């Protein structure tokens, strides 16, 4: 979880070429959501969640971890494709090709949704499920808009 947040918050913005500026209010809302969600996930895992000694070898954790890992790989690869759609100075709409974009029009969204449902399965907490569902509803609606 921490690795993803660091990639999304620190590395990803440095890799973006030119783009539209983000409105300050949107930035503040995103920041508040990430801080609150990070606290909620960390607090639930360190204070309230209890797992049996063999949890890390169990099928729920392994399948969830693999879902998270595959989702992250899809997300990172899809972001790479999107960042390299246009040459410097080029504008206009382009349809992404390659990777999961051959199967779904919002491959980056699909990867992130898979990632957080995998996380929820691996953790089995109500907080991780709530985050996965929020991700599904928010990114699912964005994916639908992008598809249209």
């Amino acid at each position: 979880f921490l690795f993803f947040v660091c990639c999304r918050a620190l590395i990803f913005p440095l890799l973006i070429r030119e783009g539209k500026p983000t409105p300050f209010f949107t930035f503040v809302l995103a920041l508040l959501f990430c801080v609150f969600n990070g606290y909620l996930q960390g607090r639930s895992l360190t204070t309230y969640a209890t797992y049996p000694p063999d949890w890390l070898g169990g099928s729920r954790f392994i399948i969830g971890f693999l879902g998270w890992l595959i989702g992250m790989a899809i997300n990172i690869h899809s972001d790479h494709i999107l960042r390299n759609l246009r040459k410097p100075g080029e504008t206009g709409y382009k349809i992404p090709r390659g990777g999961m974009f051959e199967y779904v029009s919002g491959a980056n969204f699909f990867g992130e949704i898979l990632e957080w449902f995998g996380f929820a399965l691996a953790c089995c907490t109500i907080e991780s499920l709530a985050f996965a569902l929020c991700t599904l509803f928010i990114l699912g609606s964005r994916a639908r808009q992008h598809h249209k």
Side-chain angles (χ1 to χ4, degrees):
F1 183 77
L2 183 60
F3 176 75
F4 174 81
V5 171
C6 287
C7 283
R8 183 56 75 192
L10 302 174
I11 297 170
F12 182 76
L14 296 174
L15 297 174
I16 296 174
R17 292 183 190 165
E18 298 172 25
K20 298 179 209 169
T22 302
F24 183 72
F25 185 67
T26 303
F27 167 77
V28 170
L29 287 178
L31 179 67
L32 289 174
F33 175 80
C34 288
V35 168
F36 176 73
N37 183 54
Y39 171 78
L40 187 67
Q41 299 302 325
R43 178 83 177 187
S44 73
L45 290 171
T46 59
T47 306
Y48 302 110
T50 57
Y51 300 102
D54 61 344
W55 181 257
L56 296 179
S59 60
R60 279 184 285 189
F61 179 81
I62 292 170
I63 293 168
F65 178 75
L66 289 174
W68 174 81
L69 195 61
I70 292 167
M72 182 187 291
I74 291 169
N75 192 5
I76 290 170
H77 184 250
S78 300
D79 283 346
H80 173 74
I81 290 171
L82 290 172
R83 277 193 314 272
N84 293 296
L85 268 180
R86 294 178 200 86
K87 294 177 178 130
E90 192 175 39
T91 61
Y93 182 78
K94 287 196 170 186
I95 296 174
R97 300 279 185 220
M100 286 299 293
F101 285 109
E102 298 300 320
Y103 305 100
V104 293
S105 55
N108 52 328
F109 301 130
F110 170 75
E112 193 158 344
I113 291 166
L114 176 61
E115 191 174 344
W116 297 120
F117 271 94
F119 177 77
L121 182 59
C123 295
C124 285
T125 64
I126 193 72
E127 294 84 1
S128 61
L129 178 60
F131 180 48
L133 289 171
C134 283
T135 302
L136 173 65
F137 295 134
I138 292 168
L139 295 184
S141 67
R142 288 185 65 198
R144 188 170 183 216
Q145 287 174 327
H146 283 232
H147 182 74
K148 288 180 178 181

